[in-house]
Amino acid sequence: MLERVVEVHGEAEASGPGLDDLLVATGAGDRVAFGALYDRTVARVLGLIRRVVIDAGQAEEVAQEVYLEIWRTAPRFERDRGSAIAWMFTLAHRRAVDRVRSSQSARDRDARIGARDLEVPADTVAETAEVRIEHARAKDALAELSEPQRECVVLAYYGGLTQTEIADRLHVPLGTVKTRMRDGMIRLRRAMGVST
């Protein structure tokens, strides 16, 4: 595509040094050559950027960045690899695409943050009812456990004791407490309809 644009616009609209010569001179630090290069190419470079970025203000910012990059990287331009305008268009296109991606990324991030910070109204009545129903189900499920299993589970979950502390309190081996806890939890899951 860049070659087609170069063919359509050509480089012969002004007398004097060609764009390749101006870019090489710019690479050597010639500010006058850079000014001439800018004057002869800014409309086309800005037009390319506007087609990608759309927003006029952002397109102008990108164009400034592109010409700064041209000034800094002009020494890397190699005539035998392509024309000056194609090289400049490549820089401009890359910068424009980067700006679009960056803007989209910022919009996506803002949307995620906005959604995260959005307060969702809570239905406290339904939530309270649900907690009561679950509490009743848990109480019924606990009633289905054997007395030793229920005792271990209640001490662990309601009493906050570790398995070692439960073994000490009940005067039973630690392995027995672990078995009662495991078997009790398996029965509770089944009774409550929780899959593992």
Side-chain angles (χ1 to χ4, degrees), residues 10-11 13 17-24 37 40-41 44 84-85:
E11 290 184 22
E13 74 273 359
L19 294 180
D20 290 358
D21 295 329
L22 290 173
L23 187 55
V24 169
L37 181 70
R40 289 180 51 191
T41 60
R44 289 183 277 169
I85 195 69

Side-chain angles (χ1 to χ4, degrees), residues 11 14-38 40-41 70-71 74-75 77-80 82-85 87-88:
E11 290 184 22
S15 59
L19 294 180
D20 290 358
D21 295 329
L22 290 173
L23 187 55
V24 169
T26 298
D30 186 339
R31 292 174 187 265
V32 174
F34 180 68
L37 181 70
Y38 176 87
R40 289 180 51 191
T41 60
I70 289 169
W71 173 257
F77 170 67
E78 298 174 23
R79 289 177 192 249
D80 57 333
S83 68
I85 195 69
W87 185 80
M88 293 170 67

Side-chain angles (χ1 to χ4, degrees), residues 172-189:
V172 295
L174 179 59
T176 302
V177 170
K178 288 183 178 190
T179 300
R180 289 176 183 173
M181 288 286 296
R182 185 195 70 230
D183 293 346
M185 293 305 295
I186 289 170
R187 288 182 68 186
L188 279 175
R189 283 190 197 102

